[in-house]
Amino acid sequence: FRVARLLSRYPSVAFVAHTFVQTLPAAGELLQGLFALAFAYSALGVAVFGGQICSEEAAGCSAERAAALQETDWGQAGYWPMNFNSLADGMACMAHLLVVNNWMMTAEVYVLASGTQWARAFFISFYVAGVLVGLNTCQAFVLDRFLAKQAEYGF
């Protein structure tokens, strides 16, 4: 609390903190929508791609498939947990895709693992819906709130 009291002496810090606290409830609704989108895509990914990404240690994984995946940039980068073998892994993969962390490599490995180019459509559609629409809507909302409060406070 001492840090909060110290920072409250600076008007710009107090403004940011106050605006952030006021923005959280409304931004929370947007983030819930983004979570629901990621959850839906994760569930779809488990249904469509579940079990296609595996290492040699996994039961039912062919040595040829594991070797082919290991040779990709994705395998070399150690992205093995980014898969759709379970809903939790799928959510981790969706978070990985939301931050646009080498999502093209992830799409390519699923094209390789599934044997169809349609796998790429799954990742591109999530990029459009999740990143271009979802995250940009959240960012625009937060910026709009800050600019409105800035005009209100006269900063």
Side-chain angles (χ1 to χ4, degrees):
F1 291 111
R2 290 181 182 180
V3 173
R5 239 182 297 145
L6 177 65
L7 293 177
S8 68
R9 292 183 182 185
Y10 298 100
S12 58
V13 173
F15 163 75
V16 169
H18 185 260
T19 305
F20 178 75
V21 169
Q22 286 186 332
T23 303
L24 274 180
E29 293 176 13
L30 286 172
L31 293 174
Q32 286 174 359
L34 196 56
F35 178 84
L37 177 72
F39 187 84
Y41 266 86
S42 179
L44 181 61
V46 169
V48 175
F49 303 117
Q52 292 183 1
I53 300 294
C54 57
S55 62
E56 290 181 30
E57 298 86 30
C61 185
S62 70
E64 298 85 32
R65 178 183 285 182
L69 293 175
Q70 182 61 44
E71 291 175 9
T72 64
D73 290 338
W74 184 89
Q76 295 297 317
Y79 286 158
W80 294 98
M82 303 304 156
N83 60 58
F84 293 101
N85 295 342
S86 70
L87 195 56
D89 289 341
M91 286 300 287
C93 190
M94 291 293 103
H96 157 80
L97 296 173
L98 273 175
V99 296
V100 195
N101 185 15
N102 295 326
W103 72 272
M104 299 84 48
M105 285 190 340
T106 303
E108 287 302 317
V109 82
Y110 275 95
V111 168
L112 175 70
S114 67
T116 178
Q117 294 293 322
W118 285 104
R120 190 174 283 115
F122 174 84
F123 292 95
I124 292 173
S125 68
F126 183 75
Y127 177 78
V128 170
V131 176
L132 296 182
V133 175
L135 283 180
N136 283 328
T137 301
C138 289
Q139 183 180 19
F141 175 77
V142 170
L143 284 174
D144 182 59
R145 285 287 177 111
F146 268 91
L147 291 175
K149 289 291 181 183
Q150 188 178 26
E152 181 182 319
Y153 281 86
F155 278 111

